[in-house]
Amino acid sequence: MSSLPLTRRAATGLGLSFFAAPALAAGPTVPRWGVHEISLKASVAGNPFDVALTAAFTDGKTTLKVRGFYDGDGTWRIRFSPPAEGVWRWRTTSPVKALNGQAGTVMATGPRPGDHGPLKVVAGYHFAHADGAPFRHVGTTAYSWAQQSDALCAETLATLKASPFNKIRMCVFPNVAGEPIFPFEKAGDGWDYDRPNPAYFRRLEDRVRRLAQIGVQADLILFHPYDDKTGWHAMTAARDDRYIRYMVARFAAFSNVWWSLANEWDLVKAKSIADFERIGRLIQAEDPYGRLCSIHNWRDLYDNGRPWISHASVQNGSAVMDDSRAQIFRDVWKKPVIFDEVRYEGDLTQRWGDLSAENLVQRFWHGLVAGTYVGHGEVFKEGVRWTAKGGHFTGHSVPRLAFLRSVMEAGPTPGLDPIDRTWDQHLGGKAGTYYLRYFGEAAPTEWAVDLPKDELTGGERFRVDVLDTWNMTVTPVEGDFVMAKKDAYYLHDPARPTVALPGRPWMAVRVVRI
Amino acid sequence: MSSLPLTRRAATGLGLSFFAAPALAAGPTVPRWGVHEISLKASVAGNPFDVALTAAFTDGKTTLKVRGFYDGDGTWRIRFSPPAEGVWRWRTTSPVKALNGQAGTVMATGPRPGDHGPLKVVAGYHFAHADGAPFRHVGTTAYSWAQQSDALCAETLATLKASPFNKIRMCVFPNVAGEPIFPFEKAGDGWDYDRPNPAYFRRLEDRVRRLAQIGVQADLILFHPYDDKTGWHAMTAARDDRYIRYMVARFAAFSNVWWSLANEWDLVKAKSIADFERIGRLIQAEDPYGRLCSIHNWRDLYDNGRPWISHASVQNGSAVMDDSRAQIFRDVWKKPVIFDEVRYEGDLTQRWGDLSAENLVQRFWHGLVAGTYVGHGEVFKEGVRWTAKGGHFTGHSVPRLAFLRSVMEAGPTPGLDPIDRTWDQHLGGKAGTYYLRYFGEAAPTEWAVDLPKDELTGGERFRVDVLDTWNMTVTPVEGDFVMAKKDAYYLHDPARPTVALPGRPWMAVRVVRI
């Protein structure tokens, strides 16, 4: 169901009335990138979740085919998010008479104020909104926050709103206990895997809408290996496919939705790579908007070169301990890389949850210099445990990640790229105009401001800032640095070849062209 | 022309005489994995290099289709290397009458003493010979050694024979001046790209045979970007394909041949990825033996996941500065990784040729601990420059690489793998039985013998050796280490939790199960 350009001639098979003159004044409207919902009623024999229902939406230039979904009570819904302003006509197709041949129009107006549209991959390794606004990914994880009480969910949303995070990884199937409402109807002691529970998904989509309101992307994890008792990770392929179609039909119209096929795919022993490939291709075929799509690993990296994968979603306990290490993942896959799990801040005895705040923040900075992105998580013994259920933060990394995001926002668009990569420069930015060097635990007292020669000829002027990434300060260095050739590979300012540093850890230097 | 199992029934199309009773006594013989050559004479109009000639060889179980090649003077040759002992029958097919329908048999006897057969990929990340003997890759590069004078070639071969190197990267088209003999016939001021020069390739294959005699693999680089004046990298696709078919027909029967599609493929501006894909698939189709095949990069990594690539051949100036960095390349591609170019030992001002011997040797050790392999090169201003033309070594890394190889030979089969990877353990080996820790430039005075818990339950006994990788000494530590649980992730010997180290750089510790 991919987006296809459609000429009037090619579209005549849809019926001429499809292109009748618009009747704009009285019709429904929806902001560009918002959600227009059509409700249809019918009474059917058999499983209503197996009723085929699609609608074609066209503005005369682009046609999108959108699947409808059953929402209980004899009601089917079709959700459409217009990618462009203007009049969109639609017409349904279904073997069920009451659902077939329904038609209408919707006028897509300008976007809501502040809505920059869904995300896409830009410049190979970064993200931007549909209107071109940059998206500087600073992610977090709270697997089962959406399944908690309304009060705890409200607290989570308030926490997120005040945080630097603009993406959250969250499970569709809960991985820890929450409210007693479940994704499938109960059947005896078990589940009727053939009947999704609309109320459950309605509650989940309420969370997704609220995330959109505060500008947070929802990375929806479709499968995970932690539901041995429920078996939701081990359904048949036909049931998996029905569930995937249902998820895409319900959620794809929300422009802040991302798809994550699995958490720790290589622990989902009930599924093979062939299963994930089928599911990945199914999402690609079903999702008319091409939302971002990834698959998260435990130990074994998935082949993130696969065409249905928009970006790598990596778990690795050590990759972002060094920017030169992290950038290899970019170089190999030639896609954006998000290190979604790099060990969590916390006080657990398990090594995946024992990071100091300093160490977690350090990983974000190494990732930034590498031209990659990093995700946060927090698991303290006391309290609710953010990464399980949401709530509030106990750790000390979050304010530092806000500082990091402010540095990202002030940096090059759409993001930083490693400079003179493969030579261990430890410099990220944009050759010729912006350089960021990060020292991690090292506590140097000076740094040679040697800039690799790419995009420099000599005579360029730079200002230099010393950043304390832990204490969140920016200290401008007095005066300019004027570049001149140093040797075959570097330029520097012969009058001031180094910059003084305070001998503390977690420092960075930013060199910006004037 | 891949190897196909062939039943008698399926093979009847080849003619019943093909399976007539063997006449063994008087027929020709060839050792298994050796080269049996058939010569045929004909006189043709047109370009003899465009004459189609193939032969099918079968032992009743396996049938290989082998292309013949024109060797000048009205002579075509077909070279066959039997993968199994026994009687092989052959029959030719060609539109040229004198070359068509020729048939015969050859008896494949036991291999030559010491010949373990061609290499294959084993255990995902390593190499072994066809008879199962391990192959511990220690490579070097001498791009245009084969095109030098016979005297210099003889010196190169003597140098290699006395060295630890068992693979050499070498160009088919020379990249520096050598003897005045060229791969194509001269045509006015330029070249007749439609006519390979048999005498040139005969000379090259003499070098390949001599390498086989001293147990060295020949990694033949088919294209490189350094022949702007000759244009050999920028021929038409049809001429490239003719050259590739010619190379495979002439060289594939030599069991020490590897294919390298290019040196620095991303600098071969005349060729696109689509060209290299076509060439890679052509080699795969033409080579009946499936010799190892790779493509070497400058800055942009090729997608080494492609099915025609047996192993990654990587240039990177910094990847093997850290084993945790190097192992990422394995994890991503799930194939053997050879860091064929990691900067050369030398005294050039260019950074690709300025490594100290210590630094180059260090890179080999990091690569070993990562479960990868590394290549040597040497470029000193004085003398012949090994990596250009061969000759002898000027640097100081080679004896240390011989020591490294001795450690590899005494290590696990088929090679070392990173242990508890993704957790920055810096341990290579085989969990439960063999651990190698390498410290590079660090000069610790002790090391905690903490072994990750995989494959250990407690009670296992280990001996420990301290290795000085620069001074080439192995110092056994007195007494055994008996493992007991230390914490959730490690075992150690509570009675002796650490081993003393001398506080020098380039040390390693080897922990071996008793």
Side-chain angles (χ1 to χ4, degrees):
Chain A
M1 296 208 171
S2 56
S3 165
L4 292 167
L6 186 78
T7 64
R8 287 195 169 229
R9 187 160 168 211
T12 49
L14 295 168
L16 276 177
S17 65
F18 204 61
F19 293 106
L24 302 185
T29 66
V30 62
R32 184 183 184 192
W33 304 316
V35 179
H36 177 63
E37 186 172 288
I38 297 158
S39 298
L40 299 170
K41 285 275 189 184
S43 173
V44 300
N47 188 345
F49 294 96
D50 285 338
V51 166
L53 169 63
T54 59
F57 289 80
T58 187
D59 65 351
K61 294 190 286 286
T62 301
T63 295
L64 301 180
K65 288 198 182 169
V66 178
R67 187 181 293 275
F69 65 93
Y70 183 63
D71 201 25
D73 297 322
T75 302
W76 279 258
R77 298 186 198 283
I78 298 165
R79 289 183 175 152
F80 171 62
S81 181
E85 293 179 39
V87 177
W88 291 80
R89 288 169 177 69
W90 58 268
R91 175 177 289 269
T92 65
T93 305
S94 176
V96 175
K97 195 174 173 187
L99 303 177
N100 188 48
Q102 301 292 316
T105 65
V106 58
M107 173 72 177
T109 63
R112 284 178 302 255
D115 186 357
H116 297 288
L119 294 177
K120 57 188 176 174
V121 171
V122 294
Y125 302 96
H126 304 288
F127 304 98
H129 291 277
D131 75 350
F135 175 79
R136 326 281 190 161
H137 172 282
V138 183
T140 187
T141 296
Y143 288 115
S144 298
W145 79 273
Q147 289 84 8
Q148 306 308 312
S149 69
D150 288 348
L152 185 49
C153 282
E155 183 186 354
T156 302
L157 288 162
T159 299
L160 278 175
K161 189 176 180 181
S163 83
F165 301 121
N166 52 20
K167 185 203 77 178
I168 189 165
R169 299 175 63 239
M170 52 190 282
C171 291
V172 176
F173 301 148
N175 75 335
V176 295
E179 294 292 285
I181 177 171
F182 300 98
F184 294 94
E185 301 287 354
K186 285 261 188 190
D189 289 344
W191 308 96
D192 183 350
Y193 298 111
D194 292 317
R195 293 191 179 251
N197 175 8
Y200 180 87
F201 291 96
R202 214 173 291 133
R203 196 166 187 273
L204 184 66
E205 77 200 20
D206 169 73
R207 277 54 176 151
V208 171
R209 285 178 198 267
R210 287 173 195 269
L211 289 173
Q213 287 164 8
I214 58 171
V216 175
Q217 304 290 315
D219 195 2
L220 297 179
I221 298 168
L222 296 165
F223 295 100
H224 63 70
Y226 325 115
D227 53 9
D228 275 344
K229 289 179 187 166
T230 58
W232 298 325
H233 68 290
M235 301 188 291
T236 63
R239 284 165 169 161
D240 282 347
D241 290 356
R242 183 198 287 120
Y243 158 64
I244 294 296
R245 288 196 187 92
Y246 194 77
M247 281 299 300
V248 175
R250 273 202 93 110
F251 286 87
F254 300 112
S255 67
N256 64 326
V257 158
W258 302 16
W259 309 115
S260 174
L261 261 65
N263 211 61
E264 301 192 325
W265 73 270
D266 43 331
L267 286 179
V268 184
K269 300 300 184 191
K271 295 201 192 318
S272 66
I273 286 178
D275 289 322
F276 286 119
E277 286 295 306
R278 190 193 74 247
I279 292 166
R281 288 194 304 265
L282 179 62
I283 292 173
Q284 200 178 31
E286 291 281 318
D287 178 355
Y289 313 105
R291 301 297 183 216
L292 298 178
C293 187
S294 71
I295 181 167
H296 166 276
N297 66 285
W298 176 55
R299 283 189 174 181
D300 284 336
L301 295 167
Y302 204 87
D303 176 5
N304 286 301
R306 303 294 302 149
W308 52 266
I309 296 179
S310 59
H311 65 282
S313 170
V314 174
Q315 171 172 194
N316 189 298
S318 62
V320 278
M321 292 172 69
D322 169 14
D323 60 271
S324 292
R325 218 182 267 180
Q327 74 155 69
I328 296 168
F329 294 80
R330 271 177 50 127
D331 284 354
V332 168
W333 289 315
K334 299 176 173 60
K335 290 183 180 179
V337 174
I338 303 179
F339 292 100
D340 269 312
E341 194 172 342
V342 299
R343 298 167 70 178
Y344 301 133
E345 183 181 359
D347 61 359
L348 304 193
T349 50
Q350 292 99 321
R351 62 183 175 181
W352 52 263
D354 69 352
L355 277 191
S356 67
E358 290 86 347
N359 196 326
L360 179 58
V361 172
Q362 172 179 333
R363 286 160 191 251
F364 272 78
W365 281 89
H366 282 307
L368 175 62
V369 170
T372 64
Y373 299 94
V374 183
H376 157 272
E378 192 196 275
V379 282
F380 286 91
K381 286 174 198 151
E382 295 294 314
V384 166
R385 273 200 196 177
W386 170 262
T387 287
K389 299 184 178 183
H392 59 272
F393 301 123
T394 304
H396 300 284
S397 62
V398 175
R400 279 82 191 184
L401 299 182
F403 176 74
L404 169 106
R405 183 164 163 185
S406 74
V407 173
M408 295 168 83
E409 304 282 358
T413 302
L416 280 66
D417 294 306
I419 289 172
D420 196 25
R421 65 196 165 83
T422 81
W423 289 95
D424 208 41
Q425 298 284 7
H426 302 290
L427 281 174
K430 190 171 161 62
T433 60
Y434 182 104
Y435 302 84
L436 184 66
R437 176 72 166 90
Y438 174 66
F439 303 98
E441 292 174 342
T445 54
E446 65 169 16
W447 178 62
V449 186
D450 293 346
L451 302 183
K453 66 181 177 182
D454 290 1
E455 308 297 329
L456 295 175
T457 55
E460 297 89 353
R461 303 182 83 84
F462 289 85
R463 64 179 172 77
V464 173
D465 297 313
V466 175
L467 280 55
D468 184 328
T469 68
W470 183 252
N471 294 306
M472 300 172 280
T473 60
V474 176
T475 308
V477 176
E478 198 74 27
D480 301 346
F481 288 71
V482 186
M483 291 297 119
K485 182 174 174 173
K486 180 186 180 185
D487 59 26
Y489 296 102
Y490 295 100
L491 291 88
H492 72 162
D493 185 339
R496 48 188 325 195
T498 66
V499 60
L501 292 168
R504 293 194 301 274
W506 330 119
M507 304 301 293
V509 174
R510 180 170 63 184
V511 183
V512 181
R513 181 88 164 265
I514 298 167
Chain B
M1 295 207 174
S2 55
S3 167
L4 292 167
L6 186 76
T7 64
R8 284 191 172 233
R9 185 156 169 220
T12 51
L14 295 169
L16 276 178
S17 65
F18 204 61
F19 292 106
L24 304 184
T29 66
V30 62
R32 185 183 183 192
W33 304 316
V35 179
H36 177 62
E37 187 172 288
I38 297 158
S39 298
L40 299 171
K41 285 277 189 182
S43 174
V44 299
N47 188 344
F49 293 96
D50 284 338
V51 166
L53 168 62
T54 58
F57 289 79
T58 187
D59 66 351
K61 295 190 288 286
T62 300
T63 296
L64 301 180
K65 287 198 183 168
V66 178
R67 188 180 293 276
F69 64 92
Y70 184 63
D71 200 24
D73 295 323
T75 302
W76 279 258
R77 298 186 199 283
I78 298 165
R79 287 181 177 154
F80 172 61
S81 182
E85 294 179 39
V87 176
W88 292 80
R89 288 168 179 67
W90 58 270
R91 175 177 289 268
T92 65
T93 305
S94 175
V96 175
K97 196 175 175 188
L99 304 176
N100 188 47
Q102 301 293 314
T105 64
V106 58
M107 173 73 177
T109 62
R112 284 178 301 255
D115 186 355
H116 298 286
L119 294 177
K120 56 188 177 176
V121 170
V122 294
Y125 303 96
H126 304 289
F127 304 99
H129 290 277
D131 74 350
F135 175 79
R136 326 282 189 160
H137 172 283
V138 182
T140 187
T141 295
Y143 288 115
S144 298
W145 79 272
Q147 290 83 7
Q148 306 307 313
S149 69
D150 288 349
L152 185 50
C153 282
E155 184 187 353
T156 302
L157 288 162
T159 298
L160 278 174
K161 189 176 180 182
S163 84
F165 301 120
N166 52 20
K167 185 203 77 179
I168 188 164
R169 300 174 63 239
M170 52 191 281
C171 292
V172 177
F173 301 148
N175 75 336
V176 296
E179 294 291 285
I181 176 171
F182 300 98
F184 293 95
E185 301 287 355
K186 286 263 188 190
D189 288 344
W191 309 96
D192 183 350
Y193 298 111
D194 292 318
R195 295 193 177 249
N197 175 8
Y200 179 86
F201 292 95
R202 214 173 289 134
R203 196 166 186 273
L204 183 65
E205 76 199 19
D206 169 73
R207 277 50 174 155
V208 171
R209 286 179 197 266
R210 288 173 196 268
L211 289 173
Q213 286 164 8
I214 58 171
V216 176
Q217 304 290 315
D219 196 2
L220 297 179
I221 299 168
L222 296 166
F223 295 100
H224 63 71
Y226 326 114
D227 53 8
D228 275 345
K229 288 180 186 162
T230 58
W232 298 325
H233 68 289
M235 300 188 291
T236 63
R239 285 166 169 162
D240 282 347
D241 289 355
R242 183 198 287 121
Y243 158 65
I244 294 295
R245 287 196 187 92
Y246 194 76
M247 280 300 299
V248 175
R250 276 202 90 112
F251 286 86
F254 301 112
S255 68
N256 64 324
V257 158
W258 301 16
W259 309 116
S260 174
L261 261 66
N263 210 62
E264 301 191 324
W265 72 269
D266 44 330
L267 286 179
V268 184
K269 301 299 184 193
K271 295 201 191 319
S272 66
I273 287 178
D275 289 322
F276 286 118
E277 286 296 305
R278 189 193 76 247
I279 293 166
R281 288 193 305 266
L282 179 62
I283 292 172
Q284 200 177 30
E286 290 282 319
D287 178 355
Y289 313 105
R291 302 297 183 215
L292 298 178
C293 187
S294 71
I295 180 166
H296 166 277
N297 67 286
W298 175 54
R299 284 190 174 180
D300 284 335
L301 294 167
Y302 204 87
D303 175 4
N304 286 301
R306 303 294 301 150
W308 52 266
I309 296 180
S310 59
H311 65 280
S313 170
V314 174
Q315 172 171 194
N316 190 297
S318 62
V320 280
M321 292 171 69
D322 169 14
D323 60 271
S324 292
R325 215 182 268 180
Q327 74 155 68
I328 296 168
F329 294 79
R330 272 177 49 127
D331 284 355
V332 169
W333 289 315
K334 299 175 172 60
K335 290 184 181 180
V337 174
I338 302 180
F339 293 100
D340 269 313
E341 194 171 342
V342 298
R343 299 167 68 178
Y344 302 134
E345 183 182 357
D347 60 0
L348 305 192
T349 51
Q350 292 98 322
R351 61 184 175 179
W352 52 263
D354 68 353
L355 277 191
S356 67
E358 289 86 345
N359 196 326
L360 179 58
V361 173
Q362 171 179 332
R363 287 160 191 251
F364 271 77
W365 280 89
H366 283 306
L368 175 63
V369 170
T372 64
Y373 299 94
V374 183
H376 157 274
E378 191 195 276
V379 282
F380 286 90
K381 286 174 197 148
E382 294 295 312
V384 167
R385 275 199 194 178
W386 170 261
T387 286
K389 299 184 177 183
H392 59 272
F393 301 123
T394 305
H396 300 283
S397 62
V398 175
R400 280 80 189 184
L401 300 181
F403 177 74
L404 169 107
R405 184 166 163 184
S406 75
V407 173
M408 295 169 83
E409 305 281 358
T413 302
L416 279 66
D417 293 306
I419 289 172
D420 195 25
R421 62 197 168 82
T422 80
W423 289 95
D424 208 43
Q425 298 285 6
H426 301 290
L427 280 175
K430 189 172 163 61
T433 60
Y434 183 104
Y435 302 83
L436 184 67
R437 176 71 166 90
Y438 174 66
F439 302 98
E441 290 174 344
T445 54
E446 66 170 14
W447 179 62
V449 187
D450 294 345
L451 302 184
K453 66 181 177 182
D454 289 0
E455 308 296 330
L456 296 175
T457 56
E460 297 89 353
R461 305 181 81 85
F462 289 85
R463 64 178 172 77
V464 174
D465 297 313
V466 175
L467 280 55
D468 184 326
T469 68
W470 182 252
N471 294 305
M472 299 174 279
T473 61
V474 176
T475 307
V477 176
E478 199 73 27
D480 300 346
F481 288 70
V482 186
M483 290 297 117
K485 182 174 173 173
K486 180 186 181 185
D487 59 25
Y489 296 102
Y490 295 100
L491 291 88
H492 72 163
D493 185 339
R496 50 188 323 195
T498 64
V499 60
L501 292 168
R504 293 194 302 272
W506 331 118
M507 304 301 294
V509 174
R510 180 170 64 185
V511 183
V512 182
R513 182 87 163 266
I514 299 167

